């Protein structure tokens, strides 16, 4: 997708012009609701792309001669080594955008054949949503609030990169009494500063890893611990032990479903009985794009697609189709919302985990308990007109 805007090019690499080009680029991205800006040097141009609502969107290219001065400008702002072009680098910086005020960005460079690719993540500091604004049903909000107010245990939020796991964890923390509880986080990176909470950021160069940081947190008399991600067996083992000794531990894993999360913990070396006793729940989630209300078209399902999607959908069901207009930048969508699968541990499920039950048996048990899958939740959202059936199939 390419939008019409003032071409961001200059007649030469004058420093003042480069500053203007970068400011205009960031301002344009913020106004387009982009989460990331990709600047990619090609043989004859500087390719510009925005990630909007989770999908890459092509923008007007710049002249190739802007690549070096533009990336150098970002390196200066983000306190990177401007002379180093052979190694990846990352850093953060803030810039002021007139009436929009200051904007925080996280920048990273990656050496490539044509030079260096630059990606800037736009950090929306202070923009923490409450649980009832994430897209959960009323029942799911009540269920998750009950879990995060437990005094101990392990609660995992799972999903692929970019599925909103961190936003859910921050929303969960906002439910807690920060005056009464000692809440400590260990993140990589720390994107949002939360008042009355102690936040730490991993620094591998200094030897400050998730595992070493978690050990240190346990000596800080914590009530609630948030670990940004359980990436290895050592971190997982420490987190599980902490959850078994009177601490509420919140964390994330890159798995596709609640059942796969349980399997992953066992596969990395944790004993099934330890996993069963430690876990209080697993939340699996995805982000789906919200269909634009100004241009969406309604259509009636003309055939039975139950076999394709895995459950019954009446042939005459009505869905919305994304079209595209000026208000949604011709994407057919505007904004995103979450779809969630929450599995709370029960006695039967704990027993099945300890006995190393097969995944299909656990799935059958969850069906018996009436816990809907992510795809089923997504199609319910599509039937309600919030998103499209195609979007649900894309993410699930």
């Amino acid at each position: 997708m390419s939008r019409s805007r003032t071409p961001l090019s200059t007649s030469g690499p004058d420093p003042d012009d480069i500053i203007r080009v970068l400011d205009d680029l960031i301002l344009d991205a913020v106004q387009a609701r982009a989460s990331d800006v990709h600047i990619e040097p090609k043989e004859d141009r500087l390719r510009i792309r925005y990630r909007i609502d989770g999908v890459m969107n092509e923008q007007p290219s710049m002249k190739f001669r802007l690549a070096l001065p533009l990336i150098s400008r970002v390196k200066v702002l983000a306190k990177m080594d401007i002379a180093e072009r052979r190694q990846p680098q990352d850093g953060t910086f803030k810039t002021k955008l007139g009436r929009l005020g200051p904007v925080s960005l996280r920048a990273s460079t990656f050496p490539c054949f044509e030079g260096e690719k630059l990606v800037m993540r736009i950090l929306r500091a202070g923009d923490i949503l409450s649980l009832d604004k994430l897209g959960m049903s009323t029942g799911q909000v009540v269920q998750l609030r009950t879990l995060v107010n437990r005094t101990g245990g392990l609660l995992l939020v799972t999903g692929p990169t970019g599925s909103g796991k961190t936003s859910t964890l921050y929303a969960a923390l906002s439910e807690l009494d920060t005056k009464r509880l000692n809440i400590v986080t260990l993140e990589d990176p720390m994107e949002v500063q939360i008042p009355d909470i102690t936040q730490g950021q991993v620094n591998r160069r200094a030897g400050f890893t998730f595992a070493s940081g978690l050990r240190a947190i346990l000596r800080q008399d914590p009530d609630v611990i948030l670990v940004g991600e359980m990436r290895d067996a050592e971190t997982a083992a420490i987190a599980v032990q902490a959850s078994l000794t009177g601490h509420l531990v919140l964390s994330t894993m890159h798995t596709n479903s609640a059942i796969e999360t349980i399997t992953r913990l066992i596969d990395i070396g944790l004993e099934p009985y330890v996993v069963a006793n430690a876990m209080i729940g697993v939340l699996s989630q995805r982000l789906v794009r919200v269909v634009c209300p100004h241009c969406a078209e309604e259509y009636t399902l003309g055939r039975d697609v139950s076999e394709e999607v895995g459950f019954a959908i009446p042939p005459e069901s009505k869905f919305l189709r994304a079209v595209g207009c000026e208000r949604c930048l011709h994407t057919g969508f505007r904004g995103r919302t979450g779809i969630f699968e929450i599995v709370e541990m029960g006695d039967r499920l704990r027993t099945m985990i300890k006995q190393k039950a097969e995944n299909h048996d656990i799935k059958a048990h969850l069906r018996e308990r009436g816990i809907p899958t992510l795809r089923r939740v997504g199609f319910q959202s599509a039937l309600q007109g919030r998103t499209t059936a195609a979007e649900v199939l894309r993410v699930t």
Side-chain angles (χ1 to χ4, degrees):
M1 182 200 73
S2 179
R3 301 186 298 111
S4 60
R5 57 178 170 85
T6 303
L8 298 177
S9 61
T10 67
S11 58
D14 182 88
D16 290 338
D17 289 339
I18 294 301
I19 292 173
R20 179 187 63 80
V21 168
L22 180 61
D23 288 348
D24 286 350
L25 180 63
I26 296 172
L27 175 62
D28 188 64
V30 171
Q31 292 177 333
R33 300 178 293 105
S35 61
D36 301 83
V37 179
H38 290 243
I39 302 174
E40 309 166 50
K42 299 301 178 183
E43 184 177 356
D44 58 347
R45 62 192 174 98
L46 193 58
R47 188 187 191 193
I48 307 296
R49 292 192 293 170
Y50 297 163
R51 187 175 294 280
I52 303 174
D53 295 334
V55 177
M56 298 292 281
N57 290 267
E58 196 81 26
Q59 303 297 311
S61 298
M62 296 185 189
K63 296 179 180 179
F64 181 80
R65 65 171 179 266
L66 293 176
L68 182 58
L70 187 63
I71 293 174
S72 296
R73 170 64 181 168
V74 173
K75 284 183 174 181
V76 170
L77 292 172
K79 296 181 173 58
M80 302 182 199
D81 183 353
I82 193 172
E84 178 57 74
R85 301 175 190 170
R86 298 171 297 176
Q87 294 289 333
Q89 297 186 73
D90 60 83
T92 60
F93 68 98
K94 289 184 179 181
T95 186
K96 291 184 178 180
L97 298 178
R99 59 183 176 80
L100 294 180
V103 175
S104 298
L105 300 102
R106 185 174 75 239
S108 66
T109 63
F110 183 80
C112 57
F113 181 75
E114 296 86 358
E116 289 179 283
K117 176 178 177 177
L118 171 69
V119 176
M120 294 184 291
R121 165 67 57 90
I122 300 172
L123 306 176
R124 306 187 186 280
D127 188 17
I128 299 177
L129 298 175
S130 59
L131 287 182
D132 54 5
K133 299 295 184 181
L134 296 176
M136 296 181 186
S137 66
T138 302
Q140 287 178 326
V141 171
V142 172
Q143 190 177 13
L144 187 54
R145 278 180 175 152
T146 300
L147 289 173
V148 299
N149 279 284
R150 297 275 290 269
T151 56
L154 176 64
L155 175 62
L156 291 176
V157 180
T158 71
T161 300
S163 59
K165 300 185 294 296
T166 301
S167 295
T168 300
L169 286 177
Y170 282 157
L173 288 182
S174 70
E175 295 284 319
L176 299 175
D177 185 352
T178 58
K179 303 295 184 183
R180 186 178 58 87
L181 298 171
N182 178 25
I183 304 173
V184 187
T185 76
L186 184 60
E187 306 170 59
D188 182 25
M190 183 181 70
E191 295 191 2
V192 178
Q193 293 184 350
I194 308 174
D196 301 322
I197 289 179
T198 301
Q199 294 175 269
Q201 179 166 310
V202 168
N203 186 340
R204 291 181 182 80
R205 293 178 181 175
F208 187 29
T209 64
F210 275 116
S212 64
L214 189 49
R215 288 194 191 92
I217 288 175
L218 292 175
R219 296 190 288 270
Q220 292 283 306
D221 185 32
D223 297 299
V224 179
I225 303 169
L226 186 152
V227 182
E229 184 181 347
M230 296 212 307
R231 297 179 178 175
D232 54 75
E234 185 180 15
T235 302
I238 300 170
V240 167
Q241 289 301 318
S243 70
L244 289 170
T245 54
H247 306 90
L248 176 64
V249 180
L250 311 177
S251 190
T252 71
M253 290 191 76
H254 286 99
T255 55
N256 291 324
S257 68
I259 296 174
E260 286 186 25
T261 303
I262 297 169
T263 304
R264 176 73 60 82
L265 289 173
I266 295 172
D267 286 345
I268 64 176
L270 298 181
E271 292 292 339
Y273 73 91
V274 174
V275 174
N277 291 333
M279 293 190 66
I280 58 174
V282 183
L283 185 154
S284 184
Q285 69 178 75
R286 299 290 189 278
L287 289 178
V288 293
R289 292 179 292 174
V290 177
V291 66
C292 177
H294 304 288
C295 60
E297 293 180 351
E298 186 179 75
Y299 70 97
T300 301
L301 202 61
R303 62 188 180 88
D304 190 350
V305 297
S306 301
E307 186 174 344
E308 296 176 31
V309 301
F311 47 86
I313 296 180
E316 297 304 312
S317 298
K318 294 185 181 298
F319 291 94
L320 292 180
R321 179 186 291 114
V323 178
C325 64
E326 289 290 338
R327 299 192 187 188
C328 62
L329 308 179
H330 299 286
T331 65
F333 299 92
R334 187 171 180 84
R336 289 191 291 177
T337 189
I339 55 175
F340 303 85
E341 173 193 16
I342 302 179
V343 176
E344 189 172 355
M345 290 294 132
D347 292 339
R348 175 58 183 155
L349 182 54
R350 292 186 195 280
T351 300
M352 295 181 75
I353 295 172
K354 292 176 183 178
Q355 294 175 347
K356 300 181 181 180
E358 297 292 337
N359 282 354
H360 61 82
D361 293 327
I362 297 179
K363 288 181 181 178
H365 169 67
L366 297 183
R367 284 197 299 269
E368 291 174 4
R369 287 176 54 182
I371 300 175
T373 62
L374 277 172
R375 177 166 289 187
R376 188 182 289 272
V377 172
F379 266 87
Q380 185 60 39
S381 181
L383 286 168
Q384 294 170 352
R386 291 199 295 171
T387 187
T388 67
E391 179 70 2
V392 174
L393 291 174
R394 182 182 72 87
V395 302
T396 61

